[in-house]
Amino acid sequence: MGLLDRFRGAVTGGRGTGDRGSTGNADTRYLADWVRAREGVEGFLEPKTTVTDVTVVLVASDGEWTRRIVGERGARRLASDLRIPVYDVGKTGYPQRMRDHDARKRIERQRAFDDELRDL
């Protein structure tokens, strides 16, 4: 392993720079657990960029979401492995419930911050 290989591994989460065709074991386990713990989960594939490989955003029925790198071939197997519908975010966009969830969380954080300031 060369000096630069250490940096490449850190940038890609230790999975190397090549596309292995699936998520790492920890990511696969995390995604499966996340889907089992929530209702109405749908997947939204995000295209590869210069910074990251293909990613998936899982969105639950209440708008809670999580994002993980899945790679080109891993994206194809994701729907069958997790048994959820998966959409191309470039064609469908993100669901409104995801934006609503983020807005609710932002308001909750602001209220908690304001309460802390009042207690000082």
Side-chain angles (χ1 to χ4, degrees), residues 1-106:
M1 175 193 302
L3 178 63
L4 293 179
D5 292 338
R6 285 181 184 239
F7 292 113
R8 284 188 201 109
V11 169
T12 60
R15 289 190 297 269
T17 58
D19 178 18
R20 291 189 179 171
S22 65
T23 59
N25 285 339
D27 286 341
T28 300
R29 209 169 21 257
Y30 172 80
L31 293 171
D33 290 345
W34 203 90
V35 168
R36 275 194 299 275
R38 289 156 185 84
E39 293 183 14
V41 176
E42 296 175 320
F44 295 86
L45 290 178
E46 299 173 317
K48 182 177 181 176
T49 67
T50 56
V51 178
T52 61
D53 202 352
V54 174
T55 55
V56 66
V57 177
L58 298 181
V59 183
S61 60
D62 67 349
E64 184 181 2
W65 60 273
T66 188
R67 174 181 285 123
R68 289 293 184 268
I69 296 173
V70 293
E72 293 281 343
R73 287 177 281 172
R76 282 180 275 222
R77 289 195 303 235
L78 183 70
S80 63
D81 289 350
L82 298 179
R83 295 186 181 123
I84 60 171
V86 177
Y87 308 104
D88 182 349
V89 81
K91 295 179 182 176
T92 63
Y94 295 101
Q96 184 63 44
R97 67 182 181 274
M98 182 179 166
R99 292 186 290 276
D100 293 343
H101 179 268
D102 287 347
R104 280 192 308 273
K105 291 297 179 183
R106 195 174 310 117

